[in-house]
Amino acid sequence: MATFVDRVVLHATGGDGGHGCASIHREKFKPLAGPDGGNGGNGGSVILEVDPQVTTLLEFHHLPHRRAASGTQGMGDHRQGATGPDLVLGVPDGTVVKGPDGEVLADLVGVGARYVAAAGGRGGLGNAALSSPRRKAPGFALLGEPGETQDVVLELKTIADVALVGYPSAGKSSLVAAISAARPKIADYPFTTLVPNLGVVQAGSSRYTVADVPGLIPGASQGRGLGLEFLRHIERCAVIVHVLDCATLEPDRDPVSDLDVIEAELASYAGDLGIEGGRVPLTERPRVVVLNKIDVPEARDLADLVRPELEARGLPVFEVSTASHEGLRPLTFALAERVERARRESPPPEATRVVLRPKAVDDSGFTVTRRTGGGAVWFAVRGEKPERWVRQTDFANDEAVGYLADRLARLGVEEKLFAAGAVAGDEVRIGPDTNAVVFDWEPTLSTGAELLGGPRGTDVRLEDRSRPTRGEKRHEYKERMDAKAAARDELWTERQHGVWTDPERDD
């Protein structure tokens, strides 16, 4: 079973907002004392927060679906619905939050850093909040807004001061075990280390962390071996240590060629260099070369042979043996010196800037687009306010539908539809293509609902009350007058022919 996970896909869903309540206050001597429906509570949000007690993403590997609590429904007597609590998920320090397309959404560095992965839905307003001097007793309330659903990729980039890189079986895990209290798995076969190992080194008054990155091979930056999975863990390290095996038995390998291969892989690795801790390219960071396994006589001779060539490149070289601990103390103090220098030269952390992006004066907040497809023509309305209003409308209540029409008209949706060429009866879709509200547009719905009387929960504009035109009224009047004239003529004709003669009077 996996014990270290550094990349997971989290399916986060915010809590739904509670529905508003439509209620009328009733008590003795006050049977209809006005609306008293309370608002629904807001849904909780799914929040990622850096927790120092969390060191791996294993919990999200087993439980990738997380949902926050929903808000409760409002009630009568002005009782508000309860707000759903936020679901705070602890993540390790150095977690990068990305979208499904690879876009970096947040870089969580430092204890307490937060990111809202899925926001909760707003609670619906009750009829008490919707009442006005003209709409004194609304017979409807707004529905709660569904919570946001978002899939994010969590990548853990270990925050260590020193990164140990090199070929498999070069002795990186043995070096970490020799200079710190860490006890990683050590064996005499390649790819023994399957996950990064961290160790804390104390050199005098300086303390720093060392990360053992699983072995690299040619092509690791393109996905070969385990390098692509764990190269991200060296992006935040201040010093890179090349651990070279001087006792290798492979005929086509030597310390210099191993160094060239690893350097080429680091240079070709395209990490997220635009985030905090990854601005400096890997090839420009301080590097140290460690010639390992000099306890073997042949390895010591090879180290003495290649050391001048490596020093000619400007690289500090240390000959060590993790078996006999030879040369480890100078190495730890040299790394401590470079780490302290990197800490002094690093810029102080800046406070998070609050960026204000005001809307343009001519920005209406929504768009109306004419679209065609499948032989049909429709008009798509997209915008935060129209889509939210549609989600909060109870379409089983005619008064709520009329209230939605009034809000859209005040926002200017009807004017934009006219400008786009829409006519009465055209199909209009509000919302995304996959989940849009479709209706036939009727411009007559722009009449003020506050001026229309009727029972609560109804809207006379939605009833089938077609008004005849003036020409139709004139034609109907003429037909009625002609029918009356024809009836009078028929009665007069019958009278002249004696149909109305009284037989008893004639006898």
Side-chain angles (χ1 to χ4, degrees):
M1 183 181 65
T3 58
F4 180 87
V5 177
D6 62 349
R7 187 182 188 278
V8 295
V9 178
L10 175 65
H11 309 278
T13 304
D16 299 334
H19 300 331
C21 176
S23 173
I24 300 297
H25 183 68
R26 293 176 175 86
E27 63 178 80
K28 190 176 182 180
F29 305 119
K30 293 182 181 180
L32 297 175
D36 65 347
N39 303 334
N42 297 330
S45 302
V46 179
I47 301 177
L48 303 176
E49 182 179 6
V50 174
D51 187 349
Q53 304 299 324
V54 180
T55 58
T56 179
L57 301 175
L58 182 62
E59 183 179 357
F60 302 103
H61 174 72
H62 295 301
L63 298 174
H65 297 270
R66 300 300 179 93
R67 183 184 182 91
S70 300
T72 61
Q73 183 176 353
M75 293 174 286
D77 200 15
H78 300 282
R79 289 176 292 178
Q80 310 294 328
T83 299
D86 295 333
L87 178 60
V88 182
L89 304 176
V91 296
D93 193 4
T95 301
V96 178
V97 185
K98 295 183 178 180
D101 55 353
E103 178 187 3
V104 177
L105 303 177
D107 184 19
L108 302 180
V109 178
V111 178
R114 281 190 163 201
Y115 173 73
V116 180
R122 298 184 182 181
L125 297 179
N127 64 343
L130 297 174
S131 62
S132 65
R134 294 184 176 180
R135 183 187 277 109
K136 295 184 178 181
F140 68 98
L142 298 184
L143 303 179
E145 188 178 5
E148 181 184 5
T149 299
Q150 186 174 358
D151 296 340
V152 294
V153 179
L154 305 182
E155 289 187 356
L156 174 59
K157 297 185 179 181
T158 304
I159 298 181
D161 298 310
V162 179
L164 305 182
V165 297
Y167 265 78
S169 299
K172 301 182 296 297
S173 299
S174 301
L175 182 59
V176 171
I179 62 178
S180 69
R183 291 297 176 262
K185 181 181 179 180
I186 301 174
D188 57 351
Y189 54 85
F191 296 107
T192 305
T193 303
L194 300 178
V195 298
N197 298 309
L198 285 178
V200 179
V201 181
Q202 185 75 37
S205 61
S206 178
R207 172 178 290 188
Y208 56 92
T209 57
V210 178
D212 167 22
V213 179
L216 303 179
I217 60 175
S221 59
Q222 282 75 38
R224 292 191 61 191
L226 300 176
L228 186 61
E229 289 293 325
F230 302 108
L231 272 174
R232 69 174 69 97
H233 293 282
I234 68 174
E235 290 186 17
R236 304 185 190 275
C237 298
V239 182
I240 298 177
V241 176
H242 288 277
V243 181
L244 305 179
D245 186 4
C246 293
T248 179
L249 300 178
E250 300 182 20
D252 56 343
R253 284 182 51 193
D254 61 85
V256 177
S257 62
D258 290 355
L259 176 64
D260 294 337
V261 170
I262 302 303
E263 284 284 335
E265 294 301 323
L266 296 181
S268 61
Y269 172 63
D272 298 319
L273 303 182
I275 63 177
E276 181 69 23
R279 292 191 298 268
V280 180
L282 299 178
T283 55
E284 299 179 8
R285 299 185 188 179
R287 34 202 3 96
V288 174
V289 176
V290 172
L291 301 177
N292 194 17
K293 303 180 182 180
I294 62 172
D295 54 294
V296 180
E298 294 80 1
R300 185 182 295 273
D301 296 339
L302 181 59
D304 295 337
L305 181 63
V306 301
R307 179 167 186 161
E309 182 178 353
L310 298 176
E311 291 178 343
R313 300 186 182 185
L315 298 174
V317 181
F318 294 87
E319 300 179 7
V320 302
S321 171
T322 57
S324 62
H325 288 202
E326 180 181 353
L328 294 183
R329 183 174 177 81
L331 173 63
T332 56
F333 279 90
L335 294 179
E337 179 184 356
R338 287 165 173 78
V339 169
E340 292 295 338
R341 185 188 308 125
R343 291 174 179 173
R344 290 192 301 268
E345 296 176 355
S346 62
E350 298 181 358
T352 303
R353 296 182 179 180
V354 179
V355 181
L356 302 179
R357 295 184 176 88
K359 294 183 179 179
V361 294
D362 57 347
D363 185 9
S364 59
F366 67 94
T367 59
V368 177
T369 308
R370 186 178 186 273
R371 296 184 180 181
T372 59
V377 179
W378 71 90
F379 294 86
V381 180
R382 297 302 307 273
E384 179 184 358
K385 286 186 177 180
E387 295 180 22
R388 175 162 51 86
W389 293 346
V390 165
R391 290 193 298 265
Q392 292 184 320
T393 299
D394 181 11
F395 287 93
N397 189 303
D398 291 344
E399 190 178 355
V401 177
Y403 178 70
L404 172 64
D406 296 338
R407 302 178 82 180
L408 295 178
R410 288 195 299 267
L411 187 62
V413 174
E414 292 209 350
E415 297 179 1
K416 287 286 188 72
L417 288 173
F418 274 121
V423 296
D426 283 348
E427 181 179 321
V428 177
R429 302 179 183 180
I430 301 180
D433 297 337
T434 57
N435 188 21
V437 175
V438 183
F439 61 92
D440 295 334
W441 182 48
E442 292 293 341
T444 56
L445 293 180
S446 61
T447 308
E450 296 84 354
L451 306 179
L452 300 174
R456 286 189 299 272
T458 62
D459 195 317
V460 297
R461 297 172 299 172
L462 301 179
E463 299 179 4
D464 187 10
R465 295 185 177 182
S466 57
R467 299 178 58 184
T469 63
R470 182 172 299 179
E472 293 174 349
K473 290 182 179 180
R474 186 180 296 111
H475 180 69
E476 182 182 357
Y477 176 77
K478 288 182 178 181
E479 288 184 349
R480 189 166 57 251
M481 293 298 103
D482 292 343
K484 288 183 178 181
R488 284 195 299 266
D489 293 343
E490 183 179 356
L491 291 175
W492 183 255
T493 303
E494 292 178 354
R495 182 176 182 181
Q496 288 181 340
H497 286 77
V499 177
W500 291 357
T501 304
D502 190 354
E504 297 181 356
R505 181 174 298 180
D506 293 342
D507 295 341

